[in-house]
Every structure is written in C-alpha cells, then in structure tokens.
Amino acid sequence: MLLCIDCGNTNTVFSIWDGEKFLDTWRMETNHKRTADEYYVWLSGLMGLKGIHADITEVIISSTVPRVVFNLRVLASRYFECRPLVVGKPECALPVSPRVDQGTTVGPDRLVNTVAGFDRHGGDIIVVDFGTATTFDVVSKDGAYIGGVIAPGVNLSLEALHMAAAALPHVDVTMPERAIGTNTVACIQSGVFWGYIGLVEGIVRQIRLERDRPMKVIATGGLAELFSQGFDLFDAIDYDLTIHGLRLINDYNKGLKA
C-alpha cells in the first residue's frame, strides 16, 4: 500500500491508497521538530482506531517545508522499510517537465497540483489553491506547469492585519451580508472576502488575456467553497487534488522502473 504525505506550511496530510481507493486521510499541524517516532505513534494510532491494518510498502512526499522532509524520510525507512519518493528531487520524474525560467525551483505542491489537475480536468487550466499562500498554477494544453501567481493566503492576510494594527481584532473569514460594514469585525470580513473575490477574478482575467484562449479554473483548498458561494469563479472544486496527484506521480515513477 502507498502512504501519500502532503506537507504544507500549516498542516501535513497523510492518506493511504490501497491500490483502488484512499482508505482514509488525516491531518496534523506541520512541525519540523516532530520526530519519525512521533509521526509513527500518531499515524498507527489513528489507523488502529479506523480498523486499518495496512501493510505500507511505498511512501511519497510533497513538502513545502524542507526541514520536515528528513524526519519523514526516517519514518519511511525505519517503520515501512522503504525509500520514499520526494517530489521535486531529481529521482522523482514528472509526466511532463515544467517550462519555467532556467534555474527556477517550482514548489512541489504546485507540481503535484498540475499533474492532478491535468489528469482530472485536461489542459489549459488554472489551479487555484487556497492554502497558507493563495497560488495560481497555469497548466498548458499538454499538461506542463508553465508558471503562475503567488499571493498571500487568506488567513495569513488576516493575521498580518491583526499583528500590524493592534487595535484591530483577529476575525474568522466569512461571507458578509453586505459590503459596507457597520462595525470593525464586519469591515474586516468585508475587506478580506470581497478583496479575495476581486483578487481571484482579476488574476484569472489577466491570465486568460495573456494566454489568449479559454482557461478552466479549478479550485482546491479548505476555503475554496467559501469563495464559490453565489459566484461563477470556478469551473470545479477539487478538494483531494494534491493527494490524487501524489498517487499519480508515484504510479508514473513505478511505470518507469517496470
């Protein structure tokens, strides 16, 4: 069985693929100090609670936090007796190589989303990922990552606003009843919500102008549904896009070795 690990700046997601379906998915806070032993105790405990007795023989990792990778490698080698495949490393091949400026390192999460997005939705797409950062990944007709946009994430923007202006409270993002807020919390919620609606609309419009062709927009990430309420921003919302991409990349590399 395959263990897929998607390590982001805020959370790390673990999911087990049995060859036909994902048995379950769990997430924990990303912490570079967490040891391989701690990962295993946590993961094996959750598997036991779900009655999953999986014989994990393969591990694939995508991590935007380099310092976490070492202990995840140890987890794979010590407890599952395998060498993990790490997206972004030379030994991890992609179905289609990214076409970006020479010397540019593309985030592994963006590479994985590109592979998954192309598999499920075809080429000429924009993948919008609402994570710690809000990223826009542009995928060509043949499935290559050809660039994109990085903007501050929604919660990151809220945190920065709260830290920079001590008088402003920290609020949860939600869709306000109207744009004009009549109290401080409503004003902040309106600014963030309508600001990100405008950000997505503006960036997608500009990408389409530059590409000069129809581009489907695929959203992923926990806040994707919030920004789709009553708006025609996305052609599809795909919550498990990254995990699906990890499985595809692992299969592709196994095929190369066959």
Side-chain angles (χ1 to χ4, degrees), residues 35-41 43-44 55-57 59 71-82:
T35 66
D37 303 325
E38 290 174 308
Y39 280 123
Y40 182 72
V41 169
L43 182 61
S44 60
D55 182 17
I56 295 171
T57 57
V59 177
N71 282 319
L72 291 176
R73 284 184 179 273
V74 174
L75 170 69
S77 61
R78 178 178 298 169
Y79 291 103
F80 305 125
E81 298 181 355
C82 68

Side-chain angles (χ1 to χ4, degrees), residues 60-63 85-89 92 94 108-109 111-112 246 249:
I60 183 168
I61 301 167
S62 168
S63 177
L85 192 62
V86 181
V87 179
K89 298 299 182 183
C92 181
L94 299 172
D109 55 330
L111 297 174
V112 174
L246 284 172
I249 292 173

Side-chain angles (χ1 to χ4, degrees), residues 9-29:
N9 290 293
T10 304
N11 292 310
T12 300
V13 177
F14 296 75
S15 192
I16 297 176
W17 173 259
D18 70 354
E20 296 182 355
K21 63 184 182 300
F22 284 103
L23 299 179
D24 215 326
T25 298
W26 306 277
R27 66 181 59 236
M28 71 186 330
E29 180 185 12

Side-chain angles (χ1 to χ4, degrees), residues 43-138:
L43 182 61
S44 60
L46 288 173
M47 290 169 60
L49 287 173
K50 289 287 187 175
I52 299 174
H53 305 288
D55 182 17
I56 295 171
T57 57
E58 303 171 272
V59 177
I60 183 168
I61 301 167
S62 168
S63 177
T64 59
V65 186
R67 289 193 294 177
V68 172
V69 175
F70 174 78
N71 282 319
L72 291 176
R73 284 184 179 273
V74 174
L75 170 69
S77 61
R78 178 178 298 169
Y79 291 103
F80 305 125
E81 298 181 355
C82 68
R83 181 176 180 175
L85 192 62
V86 181
V87 179
K89 298 299 182 183
E91 64 272 16
C92 181
L94 299 172
V96 183
S97 298
R99 294 196 289 271
V100 293
D101 294 343
Q102 187 174 1
T104 299
T105 300
V106 181
D109 55 330
R110 310 184 77 177
L111 297 174
V112 174
N113 284 347
T114 295
V115 172
F118 180 70
D119 178 72
R120 283 184 168 172
H121 306 282
D124 285 332
I125 62 172
I126 305 166
V127 179
V128 185
D129 190 347
F130 291 92
T132 304
T134 300
T135 59
F136 298 72
D137 302 324
V138 183

Side-chain angles (χ1 to χ4, degrees), residues 50-243:
K50 289 287 187 175
I52 299 174
H53 305 288
D55 182 17
I56 295 171
T57 57
E58 303 171 272
V59 177
I60 183 168
I61 301 167
S62 168
S63 177
T64 59
V65 186
R67 289 193 294 177
V68 172
V69 175
F70 174 78
N71 282 319
L72 291 176
R73 284 184 179 273
V74 174
L75 170 69
S77 61
R78 178 178 298 169
Y79 291 103
F80 305 125
E81 298 181 355
C82 68
R83 181 176 180 175
L85 192 62
V86 181
V87 179
K89 298 299 182 183
E91 64 272 16
C92 181
L94 299 172
V96 183
S97 298
R99 294 196 289 271
V100 293
D101 294 343
Q102 187 174 1
T104 299
T105 300
V106 181
D109 55 330
R110 310 184 77 177
L111 297 174
V112 174
N113 284 347
T114 295
V115 172
F118 180 70
D119 178 72
R120 283 184 168 172
H121 306 282
D124 285 332
I125 62 172
I126 305 166
V127 179
V128 185
D129 190 347
F130 291 92
T132 304
T134 300
T135 59
F136 298 72
D137 302 324
V138 183
V139 184
S140 69
K141 184 178 181 179
D142 65 347
Y145 171 87
I146 57 172
V149 176
I150 301 175
V154 177
N155 289 317
L156 187 62
S157 295
L158 284 168
E159 187 66 29
L161 186 63
H162 172 64
M163 293 179 65
L168 296 180
H170 192 290
V171 302
D172 293 327
V173 62
T174 187
M175 182 179 178
E177 294 183 5
R178 49 187 177 270
I180 302 174
T182 54
N183 57 69
T184 302
V185 170
C187 288
I188 295 173
Q189 289 175 334
S190 181
V192 171
F193 181 83
W194 292 111
Y196 270 86
I197 291 291
L199 180 144
V200 172
E201 288 179 331
I203 290 176
V204 167
R205 181 172 59 250
Q206 190 60 33
I207 290 173
R208 284 172 170 162
L209 283 171
E210 293 181 10
R211 294 291 292 160
D212 191 25
R213 67 189 65 190
M215 301 285 292
K216 290 185 292 185
V217 181
I218 312 303
T220 189
L223 292 175
E225 187 172 1
L226 171 66
F227 291 103
S228 69
Q229 297 181 76
F231 302 96
D232 190 24
L233 290 179
F234 313 123
D235 294 283
I237 298 177
D238 205 331
Y239 293 109
D240 65 342
L241 194 68
T242 307
I243 291 296

